Structures are given as structure tokens and as C-alpha cells.
Amino acid sequence: MRSDRWVMPKKKPNPTTANNKNNENNEEVSVFPMTEFLQWFSDEKRKLPWRSLTGGRNVHKKRDPYAVWILETMLQQTQIATVLPYYQRWMKRFPSVKSLSQASYEEALVYFQGLGYYRRLRSLLEGAKSLVNDHTGIFPIDRAKLLDIAGIGPYTAGAILSFSYHKRAAVVDGNIVRVLSRYYGLNADKSVLAQYGSAVWKKMEMLLPRRGSKCAVFNEAMMEFGSIVCKAREPRCLTLSSKNNGLFQTTNHLLAEHDHKYCTQDHAKGSVNPNKHAREHTRVVKQLNKKEWVCPLMKSCVAYQRGEVLALPKLKKQPKTEHVYSSVFIIKHRGRYLLLKRSKKERLSGMWEFPTLEHHMPHDNLTHQDFERFVRTQLGLKLKIDRALQTFKSSYTRYRATVVVFQAKFDDDSKILNAKQTVLNQTSSSVTETKLRRWLTASDLNTIGLSSLYSRIRAYLLAS
């Protein structure tokens, strides 16, 4: 029997939002220009040694987990340009987990000196021994087991799982924190965003492609993008774009530079190819006319639309910079230099150094007699301060150091006052652990590990 009752027709779903209804994650994934972003990476990625293992256009080949571990550890708080020579020398000397597990701290320090943050080196040595003893030298595929190894945190674990095993694992470093906090307008402190399980980690995991090899490409692309495009102080969307259309302000100038470069190269080779120049000119014009070439994420970037690019991510208020002063004494006797080894309880433990006095007064407020009294009390040596050789400036995270290098020599009738190799703690009257002394020739100086400051002093001495 037919009913005359009117029934409301079902609302037809909107094809653009049907799949994303009540699903915020899918909505954000659909907004992110993944295709354009990966195309940018394919076109603009830098040529780096470890990328020689990477295939062609956005094809990622699995990398040695040990090499990934070493590289990512060195890159912590250190720029790629600085790390490159260290990484290459390290991999030649310690090509495997087994070779590193058999190395002493002093031997490994020779290849790590100058990078700073020497706690990383101790973690690498401890982690290598753990891998050999507990995992037969093979990196586990399980995240929890990786995190149990010294020197491997959430970021490094994600890098190993993604780049070496092609697992669907996110990688979040400082560059990615900056990119995603700007793209999504995350108004939080950078240190909080970098913590595992934070909003940035969740966004990154949400954006990961389904295929493991694609995840590796995407992770690497995000780090590269933050390093060369979405920079902290000079993001490309602000420095290379105009307010109207996001295109390069100096397109004609760039084209002129490009044409001049190719002409110069061909003239140097003794041949000029007009067709080649025309093809390259056309290619560059097309490339410059794309907004995505400036920044593929600019269209949907929240911080860019709000004009808050430089305001995100938020940074913690930095403590006031402290100025410290140090005096380094070059004591040379019978062609050998005196060096001391820091104890385990001191900062930069295990590092060798020339005898050093740290003080909070400028050098002008201290006399040579003050320095001589220190050397006599602290080192048990009766010396005469000759003259100042050189002044060095060093910058660290929270303080700036002024270091003056003095030349010292023995008195004519001087002798070592006592045989005890003890050094008084400069902050109390207690005696610290014993420091080792070594008298080294100029050639021997190159065989021991020194921090970046003492490496500069060593280079100065060997050059003079």
C-alpha cells in the first residue's frame, strides 16, 4: 500500500568532504601538498655522500644502520658542512660496529675532536659495545630495543628504522619542528614540540606515506626543507619572494646570472652551443614561474598566511651570556710540551689539555706573579711566566671565553717540587682525582685528542 507521508530525502554526500568527515587527520593530510613537496625534493636536494646510496627520482635505497647511527649522532647540534669531513674520516677508520666496539676512548677521540659535545662519543662507544654483546652487532628492528642502546634516542631510532629498514617511522629534528610548527601554526615552545609524543610528532606520523620506502624519502625531504628553505632566520618565503605573488623579486637578475654561468663554462671548454643555452634558459624561466619553487608549502602554511613565520616556533628565553677568562700555559722542557688529562669528574673528562687556569677576572687584573703562584700550587712546578703568545676567542652555548696563551719556562734552579700528581680543586680546598701528566714532542701532539680550543692552540704552536 502506497503511503502519502512525505519522507525527507537523504542528503547527498559532498564528494570533496565525504572521505574526511569526522576525520581531522585525513583532512590535514589532504591539505598537505605531498606531490609538489616530494617533487621539490627530487629537484632541489643537495648532493651529499650518504645520498649516493639513494636511488633515482624519489627512490630510497636502504642504508647501513651503523652509518645512519654515526651520521645522525654527529649531526646533533652540528651543521652538515662541519660534520662532512669528520664523518668520512670516521667511517674509514671505524667502518663497522665491531671495529668501534674494540676502540679505546683515546683512539676514537682523535677522530671526534673538534665536534664538541663529547658525551656523544662516550655514548657511541658504550652503544657499540652493547650492540656487540647483546645483539651480536646487529641493530634491532624493534623501536623499544633500539631505545635501550646508549646513544640512541627517539630521533635516532626513527632514522634507523626509516632509512635502514624502511619502516613507517617518523623522524623529528629541529628542522622538522620548525617546518611543522609554522605550517600548522603550533603555538608552543620548541623544546616541548621536540619531545616524543608531542603535537609535532603526531603531525609527522600522520603525514607519513603508507609505504616504508616513501616514508624514508619524506623524512629526508622534511629535514632538507627545514635546512635550506624554511630556515630559522631567513626562510625563503620571506627573503626570496614578493608580497604579491610569491615569485622571485630578481627573476631577471637570476636569469642573467644563469646565462652568464653557462656561457662562461662553454667558452672555457672552447665551444658555444646556442641551442643548449636556449633550452636551459627556457627551463629556468619555467622553474622561476612556479610558486612551489620558492616554497611548495607556502600556499597552505598557517604562519605565512598570518605573517608569523619568524615568530614560530617559540624559543625559550635564553639565559644571560656569561663571560669567562682562561689562561693557558705552554711549558716546554727539553723539546717536549707538558699536557694534563682531565679527570672523570670534570667537564670534558678524558680530554688532554695544556695547563690551564680558569678565572672570572680579566687578564689585565692579574699579574705574572699571580699566574706563577697558581702553577706552583696547582702543578707543583716552579716556573717563570715569559710572555703572552696569543689570544683566542671561543663561543659556547651559554658563555663566551677569552683565552690568553702564555709561554712559561723553568727557573734556572727549578725542580719539580713534589712527585704527587694531584691538582687542587679551584672551587674548594679538596683534592680532586689524579690528573695524568705527559711530556709530548711536537709530532706527538697530533696523536692525542684535544678539544676544539686546544686544537687551535696546537695548530698555532706547530705553525710558529
Side-chain angles (χ1 to χ4, degrees):
M1 182 177 179
R2 182 178 177 181
S3 174
D4 294 332
R5 188 179 60 180
W6 180 81
V7 179
M8 180 184 293
K10 292 183 179 180
K11 185 177 180 180
K12 294 183 180 180
N14 188 335
T16 60
T17 60
N19 296 330
N20 298 334
K21 187 177 181 180
N22 299 324
N23 192 334
E24 182 181 355
N25 290 350
N26 288 344
E27 183 178 354
E28 292 180 342
V29 171
S30 65
V31 171
F32 190 89
M34 184 65 72
T35 303
E36 295 83 354
F37 182 70
L38 294 180
Q39 181 62 50
W40 167 86
F41 179 63
S42 177
D43 294 340
E44 303 298 327
K45 63 184 176 184
R46 292 170 292 182
K47 293 182 179 178
L48 299 172
W50 50 89
R51 285 184 183 158
S52 61
L53 300 178
T54 303
R57 192 167 186 167
N58 285 345
V59 176
H60 193 281
K61 292 186 178 180
K62 294 181 179 180
R63 287 156 47 185
D64 177 16
Y66 169 73
V68 172
W69 181 41
I70 297 299
L71 175 64
E72 299 303 337
T73 301
M74 288 185 172
L75 285 174
Q76 294 171 14
Q77 305 293 328
T78 313
Q79 295 181 350
I80 288 181
T82 304
V83 165
L84 276 176
Y86 287 91
Y87 172 73
Q88 292 169 334
R89 287 196 299 266
W90 180 282
M91 294 305 294
K92 286 181 180 179
R93 176 59 187 86
F94 307 109
S96 65
V97 175
K98 184 177 180 180
S99 62
L100 180 59
S101 67
Q102 297 171 347
S104 65
Y105 178 78
E106 288 74 16
E107 185 181 5
L109 183 59
V110 174
Y111 295 87
F112 204 90
Q113 60 180 347
L115 278 178
Y117 300 97
Y118 294 98
R119 187 180 299 175
R120 295 180 295 179
L121 177 59
R122 294 190 180 278
S123 296
L124 285 174
L125 292 171
E126 184 181 346
K129 290 179 173 60
S130 175
L131 280 165
V132 171
N133 296 332
D134 303 332
H135 302 280
T136 65
I138 299 175
F139 284 80
I141 303 180
D142 182 69
R143 175 185 285 273
K145 292 181 179 180
L146 279 173
L147 293 175
D148 288 338
I149 300 171
I152 297 182
Y155 165 76
T156 309
I160 292 172
L161 292 174
S162 178
F163 300 144
S164 300
Y165 297 120
H166 282 180
K167 296 295 181 180
R168 195 173 184 273
V171 174
V172 174
D173 67 349
N175 289 320
I176 293 178
V177 169
R178 182 168 58 254
V179 172
L180 292 183
S181 63
R182 288 173 175 175
Y183 185 78
Y184 290 112
L186 300 177
N187 194 14
D189 182 79
K190 182 178 180 180
S191 60
V192 175
L193 292 173
Q195 295 175 1
Y196 184 68
S198 65
V200 164
W201 276 92
K202 292 178 181 178
K203 297 287 186 186
M204 190 64 181
E205 290 172 343
M206 174 194 69
L207 291 173
L208 287 176
R210 292 183 180 180
R211 231 171 49 196
S213 58
K214 278 288 186 181
C215 289
V217 174
F218 178 68
N219 282 326
E220 201 165 6
M222 287 292 285
M223 290 190 289
E224 183 82 340
F225 184 78
S227 179
I228 66 176
V229 176
C230 195
K231 298 180 180 179
R233 296 182 181 179
E234 296 181 350
R236 186 179 288 182
C237 61
L238 299 184
T239 59
L240 296 179
S241 64
S242 64
K243 294 181 180 179
N244 295 328
N245 54 14
L247 299 179
F248 278 101
Q249 295 175 341
T250 56
T251 299
N252 292 332
H253 175 68
L254 290 173
L255 283 171
E257 269 191 359
H258 178 271
D259 291 345
H260 175 72
K261 172 185 174 183
Y262 272 86
C263 287
T264 304
Q265 290 177 351
D266 282 353
H267 279 298
K269 295 177 183 178
S271 63
V272 178
N273 188 338
N275 292 332
K276 176 183 176 182
H277 291 166
R279 288 195 302 270
E280 289 296 328
H281 187 95
T282 303
R283 183 184 66 81
V284 173
V285 170
K286 291 181 179 179
Q287 196 174 37
L288 290 174
N289 284 333
K290 295 180 180 179
K291 279 189 180 182
E292 292 77 14
W293 198 82
V294 178
C295 173
L297 306 183
M298 193 165 60
K299 294 178 182 178
S300 50
C301 176
V302 173
Y304 182 77
Q305 302 301 329
R306 295 177 181 173
E308 299 176 350
V309 174
L310 296 179
L312 296 176
K314 287 188 173 182
L315 300 177
K316 270 188 175 181
K317 187 177 181 180
Q318 298 296 324
K320 187 177 180 180
T321 302
E322 181 183 2
H323 293 272
V324 298
Y325 304 88
S326 299
S327 299
V328 176
F329 304 99
I330 305 302
I331 304 172
K332 191 175 182 180
H333 183 60
R334 296 180 181 177
R336 295 175 181 268
Y337 296 93
L338 176 63
L339 282 93
L340 305 178
K341 189 176 184 180
R342 285 181 176 262
S343 67
K344 293 181 179 180
K345 293 183 179 180
E346 294 181 288
R347 183 174 59 86
L348 300 178
S349 63
M351 303 288 290
W352 288 96
E353 65 181 17
F354 298 99
T356 301
L357 167 64
E358 296 180 356
H359 46 88
H360 292 278
M361 290 187 293
H363 293 83
D364 296 340
N365 296 348
L366 298 172
T367 65
H368 283 191
Q369 288 73 25
D370 295 327
F371 295 134
E372 290 168 3
R373 186 164 54 252
F374 156 73
V375 175
R376 182 186 180 94
T377 304
Q378 304 287 59
L379 306 179
L381 300 175
K382 188 178 179 182
L383 302 172
K384 195 75 175 177
I385 305 299
D386 188 4
R387 61 190 176 92
L389 297 176
Q390 185 71 300
T391 300
F392 293 89
K393 302 283 187 180
S394 293
S395 297
Y396 302 93
T397 305
R398 296 182 180 177
Y399 61 93
R400 303 290 180 265
T402 301
V403 181
V404 177
V405 180
F406 292 93
Q407 179 177 315
K409 61 182 180 181
F410 286 108
D411 279 351
D412 293 338
D413 58 345
S414 68
K415 294 181 180 179
I416 297 179
L417 299 181
N418 57 69
K420 293 188 301 179
Q421 297 184 7
T422 57
V423 179
L424 294 178
N425 192 325
Q426 297 175 22
T427 59
S428 67
S429 59
S430 62
V431 178
T432 64
E433 291 185 15
T434 299
K435 278 191 177 181
L436 299 178
R437 293 179 182 174
R438 291 184 67 180
W439 291 90
L440 300 177
T441 62
S443 59
D444 291 336
L445 289 177
N446 288 322
T447 64
I448 61 172
L450 300 175
S451 67
S452 56
L453 170 63
Y454 293 100
S455 296
R456 291 164 60 191
I457 296 175
R458 173 178 58 189
Y460 168 78
L461 292 175
L462 297 180
S464 59

